[in-house]
Amino acid sequence: AGVEMAAWTRAVRGLLLDVSGVLYDSGGDGGVPIAGSVEAVRRIKASGLKLRFCTNETQATREEFVKKLQGMGFDISVAEVTAPAPAACRILEERSLRPHLLVHNDLVPEFAGIDKANPNCVVIGDAAENFTYANLNEAFRVLIGMEKPVLISLGRGRYYKETDGLKLDVGAYMKALEYACDVQAEVVGKPAKAFFESALAEMGVPPQEAIMIGDDIVNDVGGAQRCGMRALQVRTGKYRPCDENHPHVKPDAYVNNLAEAVDILLQQL
């Protein structure tokens, strides 16, 4: 009571949460939950709001990824996760594409059912240590050898935060292949409209009744707003103060962390 109604809280039925940088910071040690985020997820679920975890994480299968988060105490299941690899598989099957994979070893099982012989496209994900010169060059050769190169990227992030600092993300390598092959990648995952739309469809909530909460000003906040959603920027994960002067993207609000966003939201319900 007596709390000023924040404009961004009106008529909310569903929340989309980015995972890395909002729920936890990844790292070689498995990563660490961000303070208050485990409890925040529990409170969202108890409130009856619809919830979807929207991740561009492509270093593990959804099963492994979810297992890791459950181990940190998060109430999350594979069925609640919207991720790029399954979406990419649908595209590959619809268009009879056979991928050359430049992805993390741990993601390969997501593509188990897909024909990879004699590839006619390249799928690039956050391959981390697999982004060697040899591997990039091999992907380049597949693309440059095609009359109409097809490059599918599981995201376009520039960097993300791990416990020991910032790490280059898939977008940097996607741009290298785009440049070398004079091709435009098709992005699956955030900020692609289809990605947000499938998350909304899975929740059964229209965009104007949903809020995206993320740490990536361009891919989370900008991407969601372009779909007609409201979007909040958390000051955790890879957030940097310069994000608050972004020339194109203005979040509907800044919050210090997920817990604070949930506090404000649940006071209005």
Side-chain angles (χ1 to χ4, degrees):
V3 178
E4 189 59 37
M5 176 96 178
W8 59 264
T9 61
R10 71 189 183 279
V12 180
R13 283 179 48 224
L15 289 182
L16 287 72
L17 300 187
D18 174 38
V19 178
S20 178
V22 173
L23 299 189
Y24 83 117
D25 283 321
S26 58
D29 46 4
V32 293
I34 290 166
S37 59
V38 169
E39 180 60 19
V41 169
R42 234 197 324 270
R43 291 176 66 202
I44 293 165
K45 291 199 164 177
S47 74
L49 286 169
K50 296 277 185 72
L51 179 60
R52 202 83 203 149
F53 300 93
C54 292
T55 182
N56 271 9
E57 168 87 33
T58 55
Q59 282 195 18
T61 61
R62 278 172 308 159
E63 282 72 18
E64 291 300 326
F65 179 60
V66 163
K67 205 179 290 172
K68 178 172 81 173
L69 289 165
Q70 287 171 343
M72 293 180 194
F74 287 102
D75 179 2
I76 179 173
S77 66
V78 173
E80 297 170 306
V81 175
T82 305
C89 287
R90 278 201 301 275
I91 291 171
L92 294 169
E93 284 172 332
E94 280 163 16
R95 288 162 50 187
S96 307
L97 291 170
R98 300 180 303 279
H100 170 85
L101 298 176
L102 177 50
V103 299
H104 199 283
N105 293 348
D106 294 342
L107 190 72
V108 173
E110 289 269 17
F111 296 90
I114 303 281
D115 180 9
K116 302 175 210 58
N118 187 21
N120 57 3
C121 73
V122 166
V123 172
I124 185 174
D126 177 14
E129 311 299 323
N130 271 356
F131 279 134
T132 61
Y133 177 77
N135 288 348
L136 272 166
N137 201 51
E138 197 184 351
F140 159 73
R141 284 179 166 171
V142 171
L143 285 172
I144 206 77
M146 292 167 56
E147 203 174 315
K148 273 210 174 106
V150 176
L151 174 60
I152 294 171
S153 187
L154 306 179
R156 51 170 304 151
R158 293 172 176 174
Y159 53 86
Y160 52 90
K161 182 169 178 238
E162 291 208 325
T163 45
D164 62 348
L166 299 177
K167 303 285 167 94
L168 274 177
D169 201 356
V170 61
Y173 300 94
M174 173 194 94
K175 285 288 180 192
L177 290 173
E178 281 188 337
Y179 179 63
C181 302
D182 197 18
V183 59
Q184 188 110 55
E186 301 173 40
V187 177
V188 183
K190 299 174 293 192
K193 220 169 173 177
F195 188 78
F196 289 109
E197 284 168 352
S198 75
L200 288 166
E202 283 155 5
M203 289 197 297
V205 172
Q208 58 279 8
E209 292 178 9
I211 293 178
M212 172 77 201
I213 303 178
D215 69 328
D216 186 318
I217 184 91
V218 174
N219 294 309
D220 294 333
V221 176
Q225 287 177 334
R226 276 202 308 279
C227 290
M229 275 185 261
R230 282 159 275 173
L232 308 187
Q233 166 91 32
V234 289
R235 296 188 177 102
T236 57
K238 69 171 137 189
Y239 161 84
R240 293 156 83 214
C242 61
D243 292 343
E244 305 212 15
N245 310 315
H246 196 278
H248 311 301
V249 184
K250 294 273 171 282
D252 290 84
Y254 291 93
V255 288
N256 286 321
N257 48 43
L258 177 62
E260 184 182 81
V262 172
D263 273 342
I264 296 168
L265 200 53
L266 297 190
Q267 280 168 352
Q268 312 290 358
L269 282 187

